[in-house]
Amino acid sequence: FVAIACGVNHSVALRDDGTVVTWGRRSDGQRDESPTCAGFVAIACGYYHSVALRDDGTVVTWGRRSNGERDDAPTCAGFVAIACG
């Protein structure tokens, strides 16, 4: 793994091939909705949601959506870094 991030009850790891691995609680989609493709360069975890940055500068989100953690995610490209709270 080249990076690991932790939420409250879940964790995310980034492999050197650009794929994402998740483990832990799955009650809010922390595991079941994680991306299955490659091309990621960074990851971050919030309490019950996660964010991954793709090599094209777009952002992918998964997990809880009760407070806009996912539904308000930006849909444009050009991002170079990510963080979660």
Side-chain angles (χ1 to χ4, degrees):
F1 297 117
V2 296
I4 296 177
C6 298
V8 171
N9 295 311
H10 73 290
S11 299
V12 178
L14 179 63
R15 290 183 171 147
D16 61 359
D17 66 358
T19 58
V20 173
V21 178
T22 60
W23 65 94
R25 190 172 184 178
R26 61 176 57 183
S27 62
D28 292 301
Q30 300 99 313
R31 289 179 50 195
D32 300 332
E33 299 175 13
S34 61
T36 57
C37 53
F40 294 99
V41 296
I43 54 172
C45 286
Y47 253 50
Y48 301 106
H49 67 289
S50 299
V51 178
L53 177 64
R54 296 187 59 95
D55 56 9
D56 65 0
T58 58
V59 174
V60 176
T61 62
W62 67 96
R64 183 180 276 182
R65 61 175 20 146
S66 62
N67 295 309
E69 299 96 318
R70 293 181 49 196
D71 298 329
D72 295 335
T75 56
C76 54
F79 292 93
V80 296
I82 54 172
C84 282

